[in-house]
Amino acid sequence: MSTRIVVVGGGTAGLRLAQRLPVTLLGEETHTPYNRVLLADVLAGRYAPEVIALPGGREPVRRGVRAVRIDRAARTVECADGSLVGYDRLVLATGSNPVLPPLRGLRGAELPEGVHPFRTLDDCLTLRELVRPGVRAVVVGGGLLGVSAARALAARGAEVVLTQQGERLMERQLDARASELLRGHVEALGVEVHTECRVSGLRQRDGAVTAVELADGFVLDAQVVVLACGVRPRTALAREAGLEVRTGIVVDDELRTSDPRIHAIGDCAEHDGRVYGLAGPALEQADVLADVLAAGDPAPAGGAGSGPRYTGTRALTRLTLGGSRPLDLAAFGEATPRPGDDVVQLTDATRSAYRKVVVRGDRLVGGVLLGDLAAVGALARAWEGDEALPEAPLLHLLTHDGGS
């Protein structure tokens, strides 16, 4: 008798697993599963929505189906339409929810007209309808998601203001110099950038947003507000089922939760104290889990299996900013050196190119590249392999061929 594998979540991780194994895939969104990384390109008008659809799995996705309860004793998933889906192995790939900041004018998940997160294809399509040349749009959050949203809105002709509470844009991935170059590029696209600036509230008229209030008293007029303040693992289903949850749903090296019949992968999963929230780790986790599930029955909880294991992912962030002069950037590992680290950096102001690597002992521990990514392949391999670097001048790490 075949094992009944049920996957809750039709995003990147869930669909990857469905491409590898015959599963019942429950997807809450009504759209065909899509590549979330390309949403900004859809918003900008570069791609039509159907272009970012992902290849299907072995079985059709049950779209528009929301799982509301797990009965671990009966091994069933209850859906919002009242149906029950039985499982032998259950995989939670529930993803993440956008973080809604505590602002005056926001009441829980109820958003005023014109205020939207930027997380789903529905968010993207709604913004496409709202944004036209001359519309005043404020993006709250200057991380990867906020920068992507701002450049997409600018490409649609909006008057865009990007607000960031921290000292610089994409401060989690970039060092000060790279962030400065990124800011210059974003401003060249027509985006007004405010850093060290905290949004405190929203002004409304007749239920529609009219302005964004800053903590220093400054007011930004706005017809559209995009909330790009990060994401939070979607864990309610697991928590209510009694599974161990910290920041995410806690999993071991076989991606098992505290119930050995239930696994978790992707944005909702926490492995070895870390939640990644990126496509690369989600795909790697799905591939490992496909091998784990193909191997058969799970080992006892707490047991040391000898089969496939997930040991973590070294995730590289890449982003392409469009415009008349597109800018590519990549960042990985620790871009800010510790005392004693070796640093090599090259800057070409005329081409807005910047390359930097950080070496600790004989290991490459991080780097940032803007404008010229020719060396990124060799650098990524050296970093991901975590192997001793060859005894050669550090400058060779930043040459176009990576020293090969």
Side-chain angles (χ1 to χ4, degrees), residues 70-200:
I70 300 169
D71 186 329
R72 291 166 54 191
R75 293 185 190 163
T76 59
V77 176
E78 180 182 347
C79 301
D81 62 6
S83 63
L84 293 177
V85 181
Y87 69 85
D88 298 310
R89 306 287 283 276
L90 176 64
V91 180
L92 300 178
T94 48
S96 54
N97 288 324
V99 173
L100 301 182
L103 305 178
R104 289 191 305 275
L106 286 186
R107 295 184 297 275
E110 184 180 346
L111 300 179
E113 182 181 337
V115 179
H116 299 275
F118 186 50
R119 182 63 183 161
T120 68
L121 184 54
D122 281 335
D123 295 332
C124 181
L125 297 178
T126 299
L127 287 168
R128 286 212 322 180
E129 291 296 317
L130 291 174
V131 176
R132 58 192 180 279
V135 164
R136 181 80 168 173
V138 176
V139 179
V140 181
L144 177 63
L145 188 62
V147 170
S148 298
R151 68 94 171 170
L153 293 168
R156 296 194 70 81
E159 298 177 9
V160 185
V161 180
L162 175 59
T163 66
Q164 162 70 330
Q165 184 168 331
E167 294 182 1
R168 59 182 191 265
L169 299 181
M170 288 184 64
E171 56 188 357
R172 289 181 57 188
Q173 292 91 7
L174 305 182
D175 66 358
R177 178 57 180 152
S179 185
E180 179 185 346
L181 289 169
L182 173 62
R183 177 171 182 159
H185 181 85
V186 171
E187 289 176 335
L189 297 176
V191 177
E192 182 181 328
V193 179
H194 295 265
T195 53
E196 297 184 271
C197 149
R198 185 171 67 84
V199 173
S200 59

Side-chain angles (χ1 to χ4, degrees), residues 11-41:
T12 300
L15 188 64
R16 178 64 159 247
L17 192 63
Q19 292 167 349
R20 295 280 309 275
L21 298 173
V23 304
T24 298
L25 182 60
L26 309 179
E28 185 172 342
E29 294 189 57
T30 57
H31 301 286
T32 300
Y34 55 87
N35 186 344
R36 202 178 302 277
V37 173
L38 297 177
L39 284 177
D41 291 299

Side-chain angles (χ1 to χ4, degrees), residues 220-374:
L220 300 170
D221 292 337
Q223 296 162 281
V224 173
V225 175
V226 178
L227 302 177
C229 305
V231 295
R232 182 177 293 116
R234 196 173 180 185
T235 60
L237 195 63
R239 193 184 299 276
E240 291 165 7
L243 301 177
E244 184 181 0
V245 174
R246 295 175 192 161
T247 301
I249 305 168
V250 177
V251 296
D252 63 12
D253 289 355
E254 292 183 329
L255 288 313
R256 294 179 304 176
T257 68
S258 50
D259 182 330
R261 293 282 176 180
I262 302 178
H263 301 257
I265 54 176
D267 288 7
C268 68
E270 177 178 334
H271 175 266
D272 197 22
R274 183 171 183 184
V275 177
Y276 290 93
L278 295 168
L283 294 171
E284 187 172 340
Q285 289 172 5
D287 286 339
V288 171
L289 183 55
D291 293 336
V292 169
L293 294 176
D297 289 336
S306 59
R309 317 285 286 183
Y310 177 71
T311 57
T313 301
R314 291 188 155 225
L316 182 143
T317 299
R318 292 188 67 156
L319 177 65
T320 297
L321 294 172
S324 58
R325 296 177 59 191
L327 178 71
D328 293 319
L329 70 84
F332 58 94
E334 302 176 44
T336 302
R338 298 178 187 172
D341 288 348
D342 292 311
V343 179
V344 180
Q345 62 184 45
L346 300 175
T347 303
D348 184 345
T350 61
R351 299 169 56 202
S352 296
Y354 173 74
R355 288 168 283 167
K356 169 186 172 180
V357 291
V358 180
V359 177
R360 184 169 301 145
D362 60 359
R363 296 293 197 276
L364 179 64
V365 296
V368 178
L369 297 93
L370 273 83
D372 184 352
L373 302 192

